[in-house]
């Protein structure tokens, strides 16, 4: 086989593979069909070219020349068709396109007569080079016109294309120019210009780069395609080898090799396909997860915003209800008739409860949005606890509970705290102790170790299952005992308390032997204020970033 026959064989293989692949896999049917037609033209031309090169007689050569001319006749028009479909300009150039198909079909009919190819003659290394008939010259003019026109359209589209399409058009454009320039080297010898058809192999580049552009456009996986291509190449070589077998024994041997390689290639392509598919799926899943994550984050933000807006809206009417109920209770509007005392008390109690919940919501949204502000100053933890106990004592007594405070007698209980927020935490613990204790006593102890101060609030109440002792510090978390005891609550107080104590660089935890055994809540902060502000600021920043 000479170099020209090899070029034609390669072109044939590439045309069949690339055309077949796009035709099979492309989702854009119009593009697939026009590309298929174009590849078919190149395949017919290459097949004819190959056998023409292998021909041993004038008659045989003439037959294959006419055969390959069939492909050559339709190559530029099918390519123009593909280009117009690709650029979505089919409608604007209808006449030119279908006019071209009609005229070229006439030339194809002419190809069956001697007016197109007169005969073959020896020229350079070619024994059977074709001689042009009268019809050949207008055909060549038309061939050139359609080839140049497609290149011109691509060039124009390239100039106005967006970056993504620009890359695609570049591939098509470069491939087309190389392909046509290569194919055009075939026409010199028809006019006795002594330039051999050295560019024939350009057709493979042509097809390859156009196909690559289409593939890129449609996001086919290049790995699978390459695997298929090399398998196809290997099998084609083995098939050729089979037909070139010198004896029947060699034929059988080559056949066995072909079947063996065929089966392994099939498995190989399949495994590549599977691998690529599963990776694509994983990537898709990851992208989806990320999207869901973003959405959740957004929804979370919206929730915090809504919580904050709603709570603010609740705040002022609630303050009014609470205020008026309190004034009525105190007799500001005259003595309260006995039968109204109970309902007014209920209004007051419920509105107070509700305003605590609203405060909790406001605190939560502040914490979540990183808007909780602290005003740290030196204060006596003992005094804070004493104030809380004094304030709540009447309520405890009303419920029939003892409430007392003790200290370990240290000289100094000073620490750097946000007094309001620290008070809020201790109030919450003592309130809870009252809420969750039916009978008995509550004790608030303040003690000082070397560089820490600990507040312990101990009650003789319902107790907490050891398994729940960490969970109760989470949002909306309530232990079963609390639900069973039928005590109302939102499950937010301890969560907020934990956030506040952590901002103080301290710790908060609960201890209980279990159900019915009472509980003790501990708050421990350092007297050493070093680093606390930085710690808090860092935390706020982290939250904001998250
Ligand atoms: P709430 O009291 O509104 O439910 P908290 O966050 O203050 O919310 O408390 C969370 C949960 O911790 C309560 O529902 C309860 O199960 C448990 N808990 C809190 N304090 C006590 C206590 N002193 N004794 C027993 N359980 C408690």
């Amino acid at each position: 086989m000479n170099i020209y026959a090899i070029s034609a064989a390669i072109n044939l293989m590439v045309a069949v593979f690339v055309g077949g692949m796009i035709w099979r896999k492309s989702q854009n049917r119009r593009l697939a069909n026009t590309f298929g037609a174009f590849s078919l033209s190149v395949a017919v031309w290459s097949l004819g070219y190959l056998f023409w090169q292998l021909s041993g007689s004038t008659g045989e050569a003439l037959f294959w020349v006419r055969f390959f001319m069939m492909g050559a006749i339709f190559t530029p028009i099918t390519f123009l068709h593909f280009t117009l479909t690709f650029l979505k300009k089919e409608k604007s150039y209808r006449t030119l396109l279908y006019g071209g198909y009609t005229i070229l079909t006439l030339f194809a009919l002419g190809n069956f007569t001697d007016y197109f190819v007169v005969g073959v003659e020896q020229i350079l290394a070619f024994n059977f080079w074709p001689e042009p008939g009268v019809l050949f010259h207008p055909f060549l003019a038309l061939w050139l016109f359609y080839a140049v026109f497609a290149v011109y359209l691509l060039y124009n589209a390239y100039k106005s294309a967006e970056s993504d399409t620009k890359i695609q058009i570049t591939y098509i454009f470069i491939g087309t120019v190389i392909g046509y320039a290569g194919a055009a080297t075939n026409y010199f010898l028809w006019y006795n210009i002594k330039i051999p058809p050295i560019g024939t192999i350009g057709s493979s580049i042509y097809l390859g780069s156009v196909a690559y552009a289409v593939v890129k456009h449609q996001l086919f996986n290049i790995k699978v395609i390459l695997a298929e291509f090399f398998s196809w190449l290997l099998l084609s070589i083995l098939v050729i080898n089979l037909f070139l077998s010198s004896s029947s024994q060699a034929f059988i041997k080559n056949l066995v090799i072909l079947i063996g390689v065929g089966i392994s290639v099939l498995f190989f392509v399949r495994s590549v396909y599977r691998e690529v598919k599963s990776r694509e799926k994983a990537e898709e899943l990851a992208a989806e997860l990320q999207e869901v994550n973003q959405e959740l984050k957004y929804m979370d933000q919206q929730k915090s915003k809504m919580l904050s807006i709603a709570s603010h809206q609740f705040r002022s009417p609630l303050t009014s209800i609470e205020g008026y109920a309190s004034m009525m209770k105190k007799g500001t509007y005259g003595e309260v008739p006995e039968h109204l005392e109970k309902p007014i008390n209920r209004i007051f109690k419920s509105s107070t409860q509700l305003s605590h919940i609203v405060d909790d919501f406001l605190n939560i949204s502040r914490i979540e949005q990183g808007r909780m502000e602290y005003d740290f100053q030196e204060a006596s933890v003992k005094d804070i606890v004493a104030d809380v106990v004094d304030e709540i004592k009447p309520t405890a007594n009303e419920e029939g509970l003892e409430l007392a405070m003790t200290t370990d007698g240290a000289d100094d209980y000073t620490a750097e705290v946000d007094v309001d927020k620290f008070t809020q935490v201790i109030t919450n613990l003592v309130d809870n102790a009252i809420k969750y204790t039916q009978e008995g006593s509550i004790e608030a102890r303040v003690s000082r170790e070397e560089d820490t101060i600990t507040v312990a609030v101990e009650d003789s109440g319902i107790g907490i299952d050891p398994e729940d002792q960490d969970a109760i510090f989470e949002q909306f978390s309530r232990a079963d005992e609390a639900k069973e005891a039928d005590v109302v609550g939102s499950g937010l107080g301890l969560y907020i308390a934990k956030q506040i104590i952590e901002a103080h660089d301290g710790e908060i935890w609960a201890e209980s032997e279990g159900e019915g055994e009472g509980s003790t809540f501990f708050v421990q902060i350092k007297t050493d204020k070093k680093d606390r502000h930085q710690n808090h600021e860092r935390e706020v920043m982290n939250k904001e970033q998250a």
Side-chain angles (χ1 to χ4, degrees):
M1 265 213 270
N2 65 36
I3 178 82
Y4 302 106
I6 292 170
S7 290
I10 293 173
N11 287 344
L12 176 64
M13 280 192 287
V14 173
V16 173
F17 174 77
V18 164
M21 182 231 356
I22 300 248
W23 194 72
R24 230 167 7 105
K25 292 191 177 172
S26 176
Q27 263 132 44
N28 181 340
R29 283 328 297 165
R30 293 189 77 81
L31 207 64
N33 287 337
T34 51
F35 189 82
F38 163 60
S39 309
L40 184 68
S41 309
V42 178
V44 167
W45 175 66
S46 307
L47 184 74
Y49 206 103
L50 172 66
F51 283 102
W52 163 58
Q53 280 300 308
L54 301 176
S55 297
S57 71
T58 310
E60 205 185 330
L62 194 56
F63 172 81
W64 288 115
V65 165
R66 290 191 167 137
F67 190 97
F68 82 60
M69 278 320 288
M70 278 301 184
I73 287 169
F74 288 106
T75 299
I77 192 78
T78 48
F79 182 69
L80 179 70
H81 201 162
F82 163 78
T83 307
L84 289 173
T85 311
F86 179 78
L87 300 175
K88 300 196 176 71
K89 282 190 176 155
E90 215 179 337
K91 285 211 175 94
S92 333
Y93 293 96
R94 259 212 168 118
T95 325
L96 195 76
L97 185 66
Y98 293 106
Y101 271 122
T102 315
I103 300 173
L104 286 163
T105 306
L106 293 177
F107 278 117
L109 290 174
N111 189 25
F112 288 105
T113 69
D114 289 344
Y115 297 110
F116 203 82
V117 178
V118 179
V120 288
E121 60 177 355
Q122 197 267 330
I123 189 164
L124 294 182
F126 302 96
N127 288 330
F128 309 110
W129 194 269
E131 286 174 81
V134 279
L135 284 179
F136 184 81
H137 312 296
F139 153 74
L140 191 60
L142 209 61
W143 189 95
L144 281 170
F145 168 76
Y146 279 110
V148 171
F149 189 63
V151 171
Y152 162 78
L153 283 179
L154 283 169
Y155 178 68
N156 260 353
Y158 171 82
K159 280 196 299 190
S160 58
E162 283 171 16
S163 63
D164 226 27
T165 332
K166 226 178 187 128
I167 298 173
Q168 270 180 290
I169 298 180
T170 311
Y171 279 114
I172 302 183
F173 182 80
I174 293 175
T176 307
V177 171
I178 294 175
Y180 278 137
T185 58
N186 273 286
Y187 292 122
F188 293 114
L189 286 180
W190 289 71
Y191 293 94
N192 269 322
I193 301 165
K194 301 274 170 16
I195 299 176
I198 41 172
T200 304
I201 193 69
S203 299
S204 285
I205 300 171
Y206 184 17
L207 274 161
S209 64
V210 174
Y212 182 67
V214 176
V215 163
K216 222 173 135 68
H217 179 58
Q218 307 222 346
L219 301 170
F220 288 177
N221 195 290
I222 207 73
K223 239 182 162 182
V224 176
I225 289 160
L226 281 179
E228 283 186 3
F229 177 71
F230 285 111
S231 309
W232 165 251
L233 201 69
L234 186 65
L235 288 180
S236 309
I237 292 168
L238 290 178
V239 170
I240 294 172
N241 199 30
L242 183 72
F243 287 109
L244 295 181
S245 308
S246 48
S247 64
S248 56
Q249 219 174 350
F251 183 85
I252 290 169
K253 194 184 93 196
N254 287 337
L255 187 66
V256 171
I257 293 174
L258 177 65
I259 293 170
V261 172
I263 292 170
S264 0
V265 152
L266 201 73
F267 280 112
F268 167 65
V269 171
R270 262 208 181 164
S271 71
V272 172
Y273 183 77
R274 279 211 191 114
E275 186 210 306
V276 165
K277 266 269 149 345
S278 67
R279 190 171 314 154
E280 273 174 5
K281 257 203 190 134
E283 275 166 16
E284 245 169 56
L285 215 67
E288 251 168 53
L289 268 180
Q290 206 176 354
E291 223 170 81
V292 171
N293 204 5
Q294 294 271 349
E295 217 160 276
L296 278 178
K297 257 192 197 156
Y298 174 74
M299 271 159 60
D300 212 42
Q301 280 171 356
Q302 291 300 97
K303 184 207 76 187
S304 292
K305 247 191 223 163
M306 218 192 78
L307 202 66
S308 156
I309 292 168
S311 309
H312 273 114
Q313 299 291 334
F314 283 141
R315 198 86 217 62
S316 39
L318 258 177
T319 312
S320 299
I321 298 171
E322 212 181 340
Y324 281 112
S326 156
M327 287 194 287
M328 282 158 94
K329 244 172 73 137
K330 284 181 191 149
T332 314
Y333 300 105
E335 205 179 313
V336 181
E338 213 187 303
H339 69 284
L340 286 183
E341 253 177 39
K342 220 174 160 188
I344 290 173
N345 269 340
R346 281 292 280 278
I347 296 174
F348 181 70
K349 216 172 157 188
S350 302
S351 56
T352 312
Q353 257 175 11
L354 201 54
S355 72
H356 281 153
I357 294 178
V358 168
D359 283 344
D360 282 351
F361 280 159
L362 280 172
N363 277 323
I364 295 261
S365 57
R366 272 189 212 116
I367 290 168
E368 285 185 348
Q369 294 171 6
R371 288 191 293 111
M372 194 80 150
E373 278 167 19
Y374 290 88
D375 177 18
F376 291 104
Q377 22 184 292
E378 295 217 321
S380 160
V381 172
K382 183 181 119 187
D383 291 351
I384 293 176
V385 178
D387 285 348
V388 172
V389 168
D390 283 348
E391 166 110 22
I392 303 183
K393 204 168 187 156
T395 318
N397 293 344
E398 262 175 44
E399 305 281 331
L401 299 167
E402 288 280 320
L403 173 59
M405 175 183 165
T406 57
T407 67
D408 64 351
D411 296 334
D412 187 17
Y413 296 97
T414 310
E416 188 143 315
V417 292
D418 178 317
V419 177
D420 285 344
K421 298 213 167 59
F422 199 80
T423 306
Q424 186 186 332
V425 172
I426 305 299
T427 307
N428 191 270
L429 295 185
V430 179
D431 272 344
N432 274 354
I434 296 173
K435 244 169 51 175
Y436 298 109
T437 306
Q438 280 0 328
E439 55 184 30
S441 58
I442 295 150
E443 187 183 310
R445 293 191 300 270
V446 186
S447 58
R448 158 101 203 224
E449 296 80 40
E450 201 151 293
D451 60 350
T452 56
I453 295 173
T454 309
V455 180
V457 178
E458 183 172 357
D459 64 49
S460 55
I462 60 171
I464 310 159
D465 192 317
E467 276 189 6
D468 295 336
Q469 283 168 19
D470 288 332
I472 53 172
F473 291 94
E474 285 164 18
Q475 264 187 56
F476 301 109
S477 161
R478 307 197 68 213
D480 291 340
E481 295 84 359
K483 288 180 211 151
E484 279 163 22
D486 210 14
V487 180
V488 285
S490 60
L492 292 174
L494 289 181
Y495 169 76
I496 295 167
K498 188 172 158 114
Q499 305 302 312
I500 292 175
I501 295 305
E502 280 177 356
H504 281 75
D505 209 11
E507 277 178 71
I508 182 168
W509 72 96
E511 284 176 13
S512 169
E513 301 279 306
E515 201 176 339
E517 301 293 326
S519 334
T520 309
F521 280 78
F522 295 89
V523 169
Q524 194 167 65
I525 55 167
K526 293 194 176 79
T527 50
D528 182 4
K529 62 199 174 210
K530 222 179 17 194
D531 295 343
R532 180 173 308 148
H533 301 300
Q534 284 102 312
N535 270 351
H536 173 59
E537 272 159 23
R538 205 177 311 131
E539 233 168 69
V540 169
M541 265 170 57
N542 286 346
K543 269 202 180 120
E544 271 170 7
Q545 275 166 8

